[in-house]
Amino acid sequence: MQVARRRLFVAVDLDDALRAECAAVVDRLRANGWPGRWVATENYHLTVAFLGGVDDERVGAVQSALNDAASRLAPFEVPFDAVGAFPNARKARVAWVGPAAPVPAFTALCGAARGPLAALGFTFEPHADAHVTLARSDGRATLPTVEPPNAPPLRVDALTLYQSFAERTGARYVVLDRFALGP
Ligand code: ATP
Ligand code: MG
């Protein structure tokens, strides 16, 4: 029998001001001629945990694990003071915005969310650096140097569980649940 599955991931959302400032960074990259496949502005997020395909009957356990993890965490801030590229600026495959230096509280958030999900059997890639993907490219063009967002740090006070749908025009994300940080 076929089991229904959903493509799920956990993320931190941006506020509207930061979203607009990230879109302004995209305008600057575009104006400098960098050839990106641009992520839709409404899809900007910080990935915390990518779950992949999850059986319908396991979604409830995922929700309670995240609810429990979030209740043990405290809100914190992430500065958006850098524009960068993976794997590096000269072979830019992914253009991102985020903090110039690692944010230990974000790494801790990823660990706190992934730990109980790993106990449910999910596996995760090790990296846990806060970044918003703005665009993907073929890695043949150097990322131009542009000004980072002009916005106050992002206050992280919740986790969002998303379902991702593959559409012809790109991914569409739907909020399944939200978990406030703190007791
Ligand atoms: P598309 O795949 O259509 O280009 P997308 O990557 O935004 O769009 P998803 O593939 O559903 O949509 O990914 C949702 C989130 O999970 C994104 O942040 C993506 O970078 C991340 N993600 C996707 N696949 C993996 C993976 N194998 N490992 C870690 N993170 C992933
Ligand atoms: Mg993808």
Side-chain angles (χ1 to χ4, degrees), residues 6-29:
R6 304 160 181 237
R7 185 177 177 86
L8 303 185
F9 67 100
V10 182
V12 165
D13 292 328
L14 305 195
D15 58 57
D16 288 343
L18 186 54
R19 213 174 272 282
E21 278 297 322
C22 290
V25 171
V26 163
D27 291 341
R28 298 194 272 279
L29 291 172

Side-chain angles (χ1 to χ4, degrees), residues 76-141:
F76 60 95
E77 291 188 341
V78 176
F80 274 64
D81 51 359
V83 180
F86 297 139
N88 59 63
R90 283 189 51 246
K91 294 180 177 171
R93 288 192 167 276
V94 170
W96 57 261
V97 291
V103 176
F106 185 83
T107 308
L109 173 84
C110 292
R114 292 174 191 182
L117 295 171
L120 293 174
F122 295 97
T123 55
F124 301 101
E125 290 176 8
H127 30 262
D129 288 321
H131 70 276
V132 172
T133 297
L134 298 178
R136 298 184 176 89
S137 191
D138 61 13
R140 283 189 282 191

